[in-house]
Amino acid sequence: MRYYVGIDLGGTNIAAGLVGEDGTLIKQMSVPTKSGRSAREIVKDMASLAKKVAEMGEIPWENIEAVGVGVPGTANRDTGMVEYANNLGFYDEPMVSMLKEELPGKSIRFDNDANAAAWGEYVAGSGKGSKSMLAVTLGTGVGGGIILDGKLFRGVNYAAGEFGHFVIDRNGIPCNCGRRGCFETYASATALVAQTKEAMEQHPESLLWELCGKNIDLVEGRTLFDGVRQGDEIAKQVLSQFIEYLATGLVDLINIFQPEVLCIGGGISKAGDLLLKPLQAIIDKEDYAATSRNRTKITVATLDNDAGLIGAALLES
Ligand SMILES: [Zn+2]
């Protein structure tokens, strides 16, 4: 077995994982990022965390094949620079060369965190064994990654797979990117919560009010799914409309890429059949290749938060 270390650099925490070549996450640990510090200080912490996690797994440091890093920003793979990372206040930081100084002789791999997570899900999660996969993560926004013919497709500025920002309604809800009607303003977890609250305000009789202790500020994604499970009609309407929005975007992606697998991640994906069955029914109707023998398989992410660590560890050099 070959061993790798993956690092997931976040605005809040730096996580490191010891990962086997088969994608098994053997050990992991994390420390606070304390963002606002210099890139050099943060890189020193990343390097020492990488060594610690190898030690915890009792793998001698010289037996670690490579260290891979996922960063929350623009990761230029040609220059090894983090060109921009808003959460960390990084601007043109030579991440790879700094890591090479801290970890001499070690092969360093590098990508943005969304690509690393998509890659993890592809090599060790629900995309395992497929030739092409789209990862679509429904969170605060909608993020993702594109794997075509076994390789990450990164685009000219390393940020392809911004699935949150294609438009499903040109005159729709204003998006923070400056356009209107972007997919994530309808199909993210944030959008689901907003749609739930809007329906509650129109329907004081809805059971959803009981489920959030009559405090609308406490509504979460799960509040809606709880309402649906308890048979609340308003909750059912909100969910059904949300699934229509989601399906609209996903069918577009399926028609453009025809991936072998489309993997849905994020907390909402945990709703299981409540989400997937009606979603699949719309896709079966609207997919341009609906009558074809080979269809895109819709799956749910299986690695959750570990995908970023596993994917970073096993990034292509
Ligand atoms: Zn947008």
Side-chain angles (χ1 to χ4, degrees):
M1 177 97 111
R2 290 166 186 268
Y3 297 95
Y4 299 81
V5 170
I7 299 173
D8 191 2
L9 173 58
T12 312
N13 287 303
I14 307 168
L18 174 66
V19 176
E21 63 184 323
D22 60 354
T24 315
L25 180 59
I26 299 158
K27 291 281 175 200
Q28 64 173 311
M29 59 189 299
S30 66
V31 296
T33 309
K34 294 182 253 170
S35 66
R37 294 188 297 158
S38 71
R40 174 66 70 178
E41 287 172 292
I42 289 174
V43 165
K44 279 186 193 292
D45 281 358
M46 289 160 66
S48 73
L49 202 61
K51 287 186 172 167
K52 265 187 212 150
V53 82
E55 197 183 310
M56 269 170 67
E58 294 173 4
I59 304 299
W61 182 245
E62 57 272 22
N63 292 1
I64 298 294
E65 298 283 331
V67 175
V69 186
V71 297
T74 307
N76 184 325
R77 299 215 341 138
D78 297 320
T79 60
M81 304 274 274
V82 179
E83 294 183 349
Y84 180 62
N86 184 35
N87 287 343
L88 301 167
F90 286 4
Y91 185 74
D92 282 342
E93 298 291 354
M95 173 75 63
V96 171
S97 63
M98 284 194 279
L99 268 168
K100 282 189 167 159
E101 285 165 30
E102 300 297 330
L103 302 171
K106 205 55 77 185
S107 165
I108 307 292
R109 293 157 187 195
F110 175 62
D111 212 322
N112 77 50
D113 52 3
N115 278 347
W119 186 247
E121 202 59 46
Y122 175 69
V123 294
S126 68
K128 202 172 178 177
S130 69
K131 285 207 169 66
S132 57
M133 186 190 93
L134 300 184
V136 181
T137 307
L138 313 176
T140 311
V142 174
I146 303 168
I147 289 115
L148 300 175
D149 298 326
K151 282 183 180 306
L152 267 165
F153 176 80
R154 298 182 169 91
V156 71
N157 198 37
Y158 315 96
E162 278 292 349
F163 296 141
H165 302 281
F166 64 90
V167 167
I168 62 170
D169 180 357
R170 182 155 178 82
N171 299 310
I173 302 169
C175 180
N176 56 23
C177 75
R179 300 172 85 199
R180 279 182 173 270
C182 285
F183 184 46
E184 75 175 29
T185 62
Y186 294 87
S188 60
T190 311
L192 179 76
V193 169
Q195 289 158 21
T196 306
K197 288 179 175 177
E198 198 186 324
M200 286 169 66
E201 272 163 357
Q202 288 164 7
H203 296 279
E205 78 283 10
S206 168
L207 182 68
L208 289 165
W209 284 101
E210 307 298 323
L211 296 172
C212 65
K214 296 204 160 66
N215 181 352
I216 201 163
D217 295 333
L218 298 180
V219 170
E220 301 171 295
R222 78 176 64 168
T223 313
L224 181 74
F225 290 103
D226 288 345
V228 172
R229 283 189 201 95
Q230 297 191 30
D232 183 60
E233 285 305 320
I234 302 305
K236 285 187 201 170
Q237 283 167 25
V238 173
L239 181 60
S240 143
Q241 190 191 49
F242 175 81
I243 291 172
E244 282 179 28
Y245 291 135
L246 180 60
T248 301
L250 296 187
V251 170
D252 287 351
L253 293 176
I254 292 169
N255 286 345
I256 295 167
F257 291 99
Q258 283 213 339
E260 197 175 325
V261 174
L262 188 152
C263 169
I264 303 171
I268 293 175
S269 67
K270 299 281 169 277
D273 280 352
L274 221 46
L275 181 80
L276 290 181
K277 278 201 168 163
L279 181 67
Q280 186 71 56
I282 303 177
I283 293 172
D284 287 345
K285 257 197 317 216
E286 298 187 359
D287 175 0
Y288 189 73
T291 55
S292 306
R293 196 169 295 138
N294 298 316
R295 300 267 321 272
T296 296
K297 190 174 151 208
I298 311 293
T299 63
V300 166
T302 55
L303 301 178
D304 297 331
N305 296 329
D306 296 342
L309 278 181
I310 295 170
L314 300 180
L315 278 170
E316 310 146 292
S317 52

